[in-house]
């Protein structure tokens, strides 16, 4: 409740507070407006007003979906530390690193669903969620390539595709949103399984199996990336055509 000077409110005596202005805007009578004499005359918000406003803002951010996103962000440095512990080849440390990676992947499945289902979507979540997704996947790929378990070109293809599509989404957002496709969701799942298998110190036929799973993930990464480029081109052309049609209709 912020008080305003009498000159700004149009009064001749005593400052009228914001409640009075609100009453006038809502159709209140002059007597109802002038009756709000309890409003502070200093023009400053009442004590505790900023704290109350901050509490409301924090309540919209500190929800379960955002907490899961924050957990993924915290897991990234923990995962890297576990992955590289004792030279990066100890099966026990690699198992713990896999557990951290698995938790991050599982929470990724739930936070977006919770945010949409229970109307918990926030600006923080829109920014932090994709960052958390790419941070844990990027950290895992870079660690694996650095340890020699995964060729660097695989890491380059996957990370290049993810960063490129994210940039592409921002470039065409003025024309519309590129929706997540089933192929994209399958790509994410396959990538998670493949990277998780490489994080574990597997041997024998499981080590051979993870090669083929990663190969499938790379193929899906490239194919879905090209499909998103196609969608972006179509979306941009459609948006430009619609704007041109609207401009011609306005001029007519």
């Amino acid at each position: 409740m912020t008080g305003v000077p009498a000159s700004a409110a149009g009064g001749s005596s005593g400052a009228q507070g914001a409640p009075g202005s609100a009453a006038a805007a809502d159709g209140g009578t002059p007597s109802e407006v002038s009756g709000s004499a309890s409003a502070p005359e200093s023009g400053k918000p009442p004590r505790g007003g900023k704290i109350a406003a901050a509490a409301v803002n924090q309540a919209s951010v500190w929800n379960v979906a955002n907490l899961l996103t924050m957990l993924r962000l915290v897991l990234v440095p923990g995962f890297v530390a576990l992955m590289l512990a004792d030279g990066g080849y100890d099966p026990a440390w690699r198992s713990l690193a896999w557990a951290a990676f698995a938790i991050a992947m599982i929470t990724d499945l739930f936070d977006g669903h919770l945010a949409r289902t229970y109307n918990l979507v926030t600006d923080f979540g829109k920014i932090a969620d994709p960052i958390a997704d790419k941070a844990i996947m990027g950290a895992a790929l870079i660690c694996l390539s650095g340890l020699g378990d995964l060729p660097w070109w695989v890491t380059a293809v996957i990370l290049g595709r993810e960063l490129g599509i994210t940039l592409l989404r921002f470039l065409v957002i003025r024309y519309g949103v590129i929706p997540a496709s089933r192929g994209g969701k399958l790509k994410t799942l396959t990538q998670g399984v493949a990277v998780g298998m490489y994080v574990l110190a597997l041997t024998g036929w499981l080590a051979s199996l993870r090669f083929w799973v990663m190969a499938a993930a790379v193929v899906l990464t490239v194919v879905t990336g090209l499909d998103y480029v196609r969608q972006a081109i179509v979306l941009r052309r459609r948006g430009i055509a619609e704007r041109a049609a609207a401009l011609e209709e306005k001029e007519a």
Side-chain angles (χ1 to χ4, degrees):
M1 294 182 289
T2 306
V4 294
S7 59
S12 59
S13 65
Q16 295 178 347
S21 301
D26 292 336
T29 62
S31 61
E32 291 172 341
V33 175
S34 62
S36 58
S38 59
E41 297 180 359
S42 62
K44 297 180 179 180
R47 182 176 299 176
K50 292 184 178 180
I51 297 177
V56 172
N57 293 334
Q58 289 180 0
S60 64
V61 173
W62 296 98
N63 58 63
V64 63
N66 286 345
L67 289 175
L68 290 176
T69 299
M70 295 176 195
L71 174 62
R72 293 211 311 283
L73 289 171
V74 171
L75 283 173
V76 173
F79 166 81
V80 173
L82 293 170
M83 190 71 182
L84 302 180
D86 199 15
Y89 296 102
D90 185 275
W93 288 113
R94 293 283 285 258
S95 297
L96 292 175
W98 177 86
F101 181 80
I103 292 173
M105 291 294 100
I106 292 172
T107 56
D108 180 33
L109 297 175
F110 287 104
D111 60 355
H113 174 73
L114 290 172
R116 291 186 296 270
T117 302
Y118 297 101
N119 195 25
L120 300 176
V121 178
T122 63
D123 291 337
F124 171 82
K126 293 177 183 178
I127 297 173
D129 183 68
I131 292 176
D133 297 343
K134 291 169 178 57
I136 189 66
M137 182 61 70
L141 290 169
I142 291 173
C143 285
L144 289 170
S145 294
L147 292 171
D149 294 338
L150 193 67
W152 276 107
W153 69 265
V154 174
T155 295
V157 168
I158 294 177
L159 293 185
R161 183 269 191 197
E162 298 301 328
L163 295 176
I165 295 303
T166 299
L167 178 61
L168 186 64
R169 287 179 185 272
F170 280 111
L171 290 177
V172 301
I173 197 170
R174 69 181 68 179
Y175 305 110
V177 177
I178 303 176
S181 63
R182 292 184 178 180
K185 294 177 181 178
L186 179 60
K187 177 270 305 178
T188 301
L189 177 62
T190 308
Q191 281 183 1
V193 173
V195 172
M197 294 180 73
Y198 269 86
V199 169
L200 287 172
L202 300 178
T203 59
W205 69 272
L206 287 175
S208 300
L209 177 62
R210 71 183 181 182
F211 169 83
W212 294 108
V213 176
M214 180 60 75
V218 171
V219 171
L220 286 171
T221 296
V222 174
V223 171
T224 56
L226 293 175
D227 182 62
Y228 278 125
V229 172
R230 179 192 62 80
Q231 291 186 55
I233 294 174
V234 172
L235 187 64
R236 182 177 181 274
R237 289 177 177 174
R238 183 184 304 163
I240 293 176
E242 290 177 352
R243 288 188 177 185
L247 183 61
E248 291 179 359
E249 182 179 353
K250 183 178 179 181
E251 292 177 351

